[in-house]
């Protein structure tokens, strides 16, 4: 806020007094609203009665206003009455009438500012109560008296003006009202300034109340700021708003500071400034900029909002080894533009000398993190990587040493002098700890830095694929029946050393390809089918499985397949279910079940009177023992091995 000038405003009112009535008793004038025409011409009824005037604030009561008469009946034979606001309507009792004489009286003091006129209706009746004349209107006008002091619309008016404003600049307007009749001089207002509390900077228009400047060059910095308003009708408080007519200046021409190296975001020192403009305003707030001496933008200056000082800070770390001294040229300006006519600052620029303080800096790794790879299964002593670090303190002799910080399974060994890293155990790719090994770098005097060694274990194709469970089932003896046998494979290696897998009948047994065929289904499955009808029973095959690794791994794996007699739906018939046994030959449990079935059939035959014996108990699909290597079935074995004998 600028300086406040307190103005007292007086209100002058010119009034015109109106006198109505006389000091002594007064005989009211007589009106004949129902007078007949004296000639034989047209009869005029309900004559227009001119308004009856009475001054407000009349205190001699009751006060006769007027007397009304009718010439239709002689005096004493007419009854008069009045009605309307002020009589039988609110406000009641102000007026009354003598019923026999027709005299109208004022009974109370009137206030024009409350009611400025009354409209009544007058009646004339005969003694019997019959209407003699039509009602006529009686208007009573209240004449204004200068009984109201003028009043300002508010106790204090406020205004603003910029310092340096030209004469005649509008500041504010004082407004007042007067409750008296605006059509009379009773409400005529005149404005004047009673006191300004200092030099006469302002004037007021006596008719409009407009306040304007009268002097050239109002200066907020030298204006009287302690004036108190004198008691008056109203006051006007005018604030002289500040403009930027004073440039900020540094408190001295040169500042000296010191800053540590290798740190950022720290304050170095403060730059004091002076400004005569309004504190806290944009005309006072200082803004600093670095004109020279900082080509890499390592320093910055911010403004302290409380003190308006410039705070010099290091934005990028300094390096004592590369530069020991900075000489900055700093400019200070206001947030708001300086007025063109304002004098220029004598110390708008200053020189700031910053000395860089040498500190013991931590060593720096040339590559961090250091990334490398190692094949799985690498033997102990395999080189992994070499850490290399440098000490920025070139003017201080430092000895660097390397050591591990985190290696929970002690896989690596770090040479403390050279930073060379090698394995001292076989690295397992399945270990949850094999992600990062972080060697520590230590310097003397003790300053440390941490480097991260990221080791990627490369996958090696060291596993061959195997057939996936569950074990194979059975095939129909007729090639056109059933969907064949679906075979799947798995591999412990990760891509790209796994699928797609290659399924192949063993090349060592070329006769297998004459009876069997393999066709791929997807990258991990193949389908086994019969090329032509084969005998029922257990058949032994040999498959060669190969993965897609480089180089590929392969495995030859035996496969036992049961061939049975099937129905149209491709499922083994009930009599052939016992032949679907995996592995080499028939298990003991299967043999016991078959023998029990044979005995049961024998007993059933005896009950039915059928012949009994081995021939009657033989199953429809005899069990064939396991074929020797290279043979697909036991069809050529002696007959005594091809059936069950109880």
């Amino acid at each position: 806020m600028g300086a406040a000038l307190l103005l007292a405003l007086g209100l002058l009112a010119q009034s015109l007094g109106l006198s109505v009535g006389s000091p002594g008793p007064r005989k009211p004038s007589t009106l004949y609203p129902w007078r007949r025409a004296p000639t034989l011409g047209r009869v005029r009824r309900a004559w227009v009665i001119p308004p009856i005037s009475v001054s407000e604030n009349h205190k001699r009561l009751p006060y006769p206003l007027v007397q009304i008469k009718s010439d239709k009946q002689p005096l004493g034979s007419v009854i008069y009455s009045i009605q309307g606001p002020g009589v039988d309507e609110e406000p009641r009792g102000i007026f009354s009438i003598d019923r026999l004489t027709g005299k109208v009286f004022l009974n109370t003091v009137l206030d024009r500012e409350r009611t400025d006129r009354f409209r009544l209706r007058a009646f004339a009746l005969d003694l019997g109560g019959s209407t003699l004349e039509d009602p006529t209107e009686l208007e009573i006008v209240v004449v204004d008296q200068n009984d109201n002091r003028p009043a300002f619309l508010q106790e204090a008016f406020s205004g603003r003006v910029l310092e340096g404003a030209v004469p005649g600049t509008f500041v504010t307007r004082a407004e007042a009202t007067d409750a008296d009749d605006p059509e009379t001089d009773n409400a005529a207002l005149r404005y004047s300034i009673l006191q300004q509390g200092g030099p006469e900077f302002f004037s007021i228009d006596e008719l409009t109340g407009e306040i304007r400047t009268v002097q050239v060059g109002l200066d907020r910095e030298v204006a009287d700021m302690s004036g108190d308003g004198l008691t008056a009708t109203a006051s006007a408080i005018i604030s002289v708003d500040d403009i930027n007519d004073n440039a900020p200046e540094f408190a001295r021409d040169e500042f000296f500071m010191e800053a540590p190296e290798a740190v950022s975001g720290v304050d170095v020192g403060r730059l004091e400034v002076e400004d005569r403009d309004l504190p806290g305003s944009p005309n006072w707030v200082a803004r600093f900029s670095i004109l020279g001496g900082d080509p890499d933008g390592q320093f910055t200056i911010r403004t302290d909002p409380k003190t308006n000082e410039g705070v010099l800070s290091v934005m990028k770390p300094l390096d004592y080894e590369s530069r020991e001294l900075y000489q900055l040229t700093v400019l200070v300006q206001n947030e708001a533009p300086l007025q063109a006519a304002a004098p220029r600052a004598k110390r708008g620029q200053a020189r700031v000398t910053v000395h860089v303080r040498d500190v013991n800096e931590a060593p720096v790794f040339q590559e961090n993190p250091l990334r490398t790879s190692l094949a799985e299964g690498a033997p102990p002593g395999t080189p992994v990587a070499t850490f290399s670090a440098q000490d920025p303190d070139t003017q201080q002799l430092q000895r660097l040493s390397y050591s591990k910080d985190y290696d929970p399974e002690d896989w690596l060994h770090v040479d403390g002098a050279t930073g060379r890293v090698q394995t001292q155990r076989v690295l397992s790719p399945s270990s949850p700890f094999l992600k990062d090994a972080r060697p520590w770098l230590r310097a003397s005097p003790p300053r440390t830095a941490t480097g991260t060694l990221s080791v990627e274990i490369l996958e090696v194709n060291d596993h061959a694929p195997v057939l996936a469970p569950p074990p194979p089932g059975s095939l129909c003896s007729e090639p056109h029946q059933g969907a064949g046998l679906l075979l799947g494979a798995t591999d412990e290696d990760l891509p790209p050393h796994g699928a797609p897998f290659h399924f192949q009948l063993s090349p060592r047994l070329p006769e297998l390809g004459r009876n069997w065929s393999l066709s791929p289904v997807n990258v991990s499955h193949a389908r086994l089918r019969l090329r032509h009808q084969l005998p029922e029973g257990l058949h032994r095959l040999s498959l060669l499985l190969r993965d897609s690794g480089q180089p590929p791994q392969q495995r030859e794996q035996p496969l036992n397949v049961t061939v049975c007699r099937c129905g149209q739906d491709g499922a083994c018939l009930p009599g052939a279910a016992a032949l679907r046994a995996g592995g080499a030959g028939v298990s003991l449990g299967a043999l016991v079940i078959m023998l029990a079935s044979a005995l049961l059939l024998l007993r059933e035959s005896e009950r039915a009177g059928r012949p009994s014996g081995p021939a009657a108990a033989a199953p429809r699909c005899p069990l064939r023992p396991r074929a020797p290597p290279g043979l697909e079935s036991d069809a050529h074995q002696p007959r005594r091995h091809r059936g069950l004998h109880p």
Side-chain angles (χ1 to χ4, degrees):
M1 294 291 293
L5 298 179
L6 188 61
L7 305 181
L9 301 181
L11 181 63
L12 303 180
Q14 294 183 350
S15 60
L16 177 63
L18 299 180
S19 177
V20 181
S22 61
R26 184 183 71 88
K27 183 178 180 180
S29 60
T30 303
L31 298 179
Y32 293 90
W34 300 288
R35 182 185 296 275
R36 296 180 180 275
T39 63
L40 298 177
R42 181 179 177 183
V43 177
R44 298 184 61 185
R45 296 285 183 174
W47 286 48
V48 177
I49 302 176
I52 302 169
S53 299
V54 59
S55 177
E56 65 174 333
N57 302 319
H58 193 86
K59 295 182 174 53
R60 293 183 179 181
L61 302 174
Y63 178 72
L65 295 178
V66 71
Q67 182 179 13
I68 57 175
K69 286 187 177 182
S70 172
D71 57 358
K72 194 172 184 179
Q73 296 286 347
L75 183 64
S77 59
V78 179
I79 299 175
Y80 300 95
S81 66
I82 54 176
Q83 296 179 358
V87 182
D88 56 349
E89 299 177 16
E90 293 296 336
R92 299 174 183 270
I94 296 178
F95 304 103
S96 61
I97 189 171
D98 187 307
R99 299 180 59 188
L100 298 178
T101 64
K103 292 182 180 181
V104 179
F105 295 91
L106 171 66
N107 300 319
T108 61
V109 177
L110 297 177
D111 185 0
R112 189 204 67 85
E113 286 70 40
R114 178 176 298 178
T115 308
D116 62 349
R117 65 187 60 238
F118 297 87
R119 288 185 174 85
L120 308 178
R121 296 186 305 279
F123 300 88
L125 307 175
D126 60 15
L127 297 178
S130 299
T131 301
L132 294 177
E133 307 286 354
D134 293 334
T136 187
E137 186 175 274
L138 186 64
E139 183 178 15
I140 301 174
V141 177
V142 182
V143 178
D144 182 51
Q145 296 291 317
N146 190 14
D147 57 348
N148 290 279
R149 297 178 63 84
F152 282 98
L153 297 182
Q154 55 197 64
E155 293 183 0
F157 298 90
S158 61
R160 312 190 73 90
V161 62
L162 291 175
E163 60 175 331
V166 299
T169 300
F170 175 80
V171 178
T172 186
R173 181 184 177 187
E175 294 184 87
T177 60
D178 193 312
D180 290 322
D181 189 354
E183 301 298 327
T184 67
D185 289 340
N186 296 334
L189 304 179
R190 296 295 183 269
Y191 298 88
S192 64
I193 298 177
L194 300 182
Q195 185 176 0
Q196 297 197 30
E200 294 185 358
F201 289 116
F202 306 96
S203 65
I204 189 170
D205 188 296
E206 67 172 1
L207 297 179
T208 65
E210 291 183 354
I211 301 174
R212 298 178 180 272
T213 60
V214 296
Q215 287 195 12
V216 179
L218 283 175
D219 190 351
R220 188 203 66 86
E221 287 72 38
V222 299
D224 181 9
M225 302 173 64
S226 61
D228 295 327
L230 300 178
T231 303
T233 306
S235 61
I237 301 175
I238 300 175
S239 298
V240 181
D241 288 343
D242 183 45
I243 62 173
N244 194 9
D245 56 349
N246 294 279
E249 296 183 350
F250 286 103
R252 53 184 183 272
D253 295 326
E254 189 169 3
F255 298 85
F256 296 92
M257 302 176 185
E258 185 181 69
E261 68 168 332
V263 294
S264 61
V266 296
D267 295 341
V268 176
R270 288 177 171 259
L271 309 175
E272 299 88 2
V273 295
E274 299 173 351
D275 196 315
R276 298 180 59 204
D277 289 311
L278 181 64
S281 70
N283 303 324
W284 175 81
V285 175
R287 290 291 180 263
F288 301 87
S289 55
I290 300 175
L291 300 181
D294 185 24
D296 298 326
Q298 294 179 284
F299 297 92
T300 183
I301 305 178
R302 71 179 187 275
T303 303
D304 187 325
K306 295 182 179 179
T307 65
N308 211 29
E309 296 173 321
V311 182
L312 181 66
S313 304
V314 177
M315 187 167 60
K316 298 179 181 179
L318 305 176
D319 185 12
Y320 174 84
E321 285 70 28
S322 61
R323 188 169 179 178
E324 302 178 14
L325 183 69
Y326 290 85
Q327 288 188 330
L328 311 177
T329 301
V330 180
L331 172 69
V332 62
Q333 294 176 309
N334 286 130
E335 186 176 89
L338 187 66
Q339 293 291 317
R344 296 299 169 180
K346 297 180 180 179
R347 288 195 298 266
Q349 295 185 14
R351 184 171 60 187
V352 181
T353 301
V354 181
H355 292 272
V356 182
R357 186 174 68 252
D358 187 22
V359 298
N360 185 17
E361 300 175 76
V364 179
F365 285 101
Q366 294 179 348
E367 184 178 358
N368 191 13
L370 178 60
R371 302 184 184 277
T372 186
S373 60
L374 188 68
E376 66 171 318
T382 301
V384 178
T386 299
F387 270 96
S388 178
Q390 291 182 347
D391 194 328
D393 297 313
T394 58
Q395 299 185 16
Q396 301 180 26
L397 296 179
Q398 302 282 4
R399 182 175 58 85
L400 303 181
S401 63
Y402 302 83
S403 63
K404 288 190 303 183
D405 172 50
Y406 180 76
D407 185 6
E409 296 196 11
D410 199 25
W411 276 309
L412 304 177
H413 170 73
V414 180
D415 189 302
T418 63
R420 183 179 301 168
V421 182
Q422 62 183 18
T423 62
Q424 59 185 14
R425 293 178 54 193
V426 177
L427 278 66
S428 173
S430 60
S431 173
F433 298 104
L434 192 60
K435 294 182 180 178
D436 294 307
R438 296 193 297 274
W440 270 83
L441 176 72
R442 290 190 174 91
S444 180
R447 290 286 291 177
T448 60
T450 303
T452 300
L453 174 62
S454 178
V455 181
E456 179 186 6
I457 304 301
L458 301 178
E459 178 73 18
V460 176
N461 190 17
D462 53 355
H463 296 87
V466 296
L467 286 174
S474 59
L475 278 173
C476 293
S477 58
E478 296 292 337
H480 64 277
Q481 291 183 334
L485 188 61
L486 185 64
L487 305 177
T490 61
D491 197 323
E492 295 185 24
D493 292 319
L494 299 176
H497 302 304
F501 301 120
H502 177 69
F503 295 81
Q504 181 183 0
L505 295 168
S506 175
R508 296 187 302 102
L509 303 173
E511 62 273 11
L512 295 178
R514 294 193 294 269
N515 297 327
W516 306 87
S517 67
L518 280 171
S519 58
V521 176
N522 51 34
V523 296
S524 59
H525 290 77
R527 193 176 302 278
L528 177 67
R529 294 180 181 274
L530 293 175
R531 291 188 181 275
H532 53 79
Q533 185 174 6
L534 293 180
E536 301 173 12
L538 185 65
H539 295 259
R540 171 172 289 182
L541 285 71
S542 181
L543 301 182
L544 182 65
L545 302 179
R546 186 169 64 251
D547 59 25
S548 298
Q550 293 297 327
Q553 292 283 350
Q554 63 183 17
R555 182 196 306 267
E556 190 167 336
Q557 188 170 356
L559 175 66
N560 295 333
V561 181
T562 300
V563 177
C564 66
R565 183 164 51 87
C566 301
Q568 294 182 354
D569 58 354
C572 290
L573 294 176
L579 301 177
R580 295 176 297 176
V586 181
S587 66
L588 177 61
L591 180 59
V592 172
I593 294 174
M594 291 179 182
L595 291 176
S597 300
L599 292 175
L600 180 61
L601 291 174
L602 178 61
R603 291 177 181 176
E604 292 295 334
S605 299
E606 291 176 351
R607 293 177 183 177
R610 298 177 182 175
S612 61
R620 300 180 61 183
C621 293
L623 179 65
R624 294 175 175 81
R626 181 176 179 180
L631 299 181
E632 301 170 5
S633 69
D634 57 356
H636 301 289
Q637 296 298 314
R639 186 176 182 83
R640 62 186 178 91
H641 296 293
R642 300 180 63 184
L644 295 179
H645 301 278

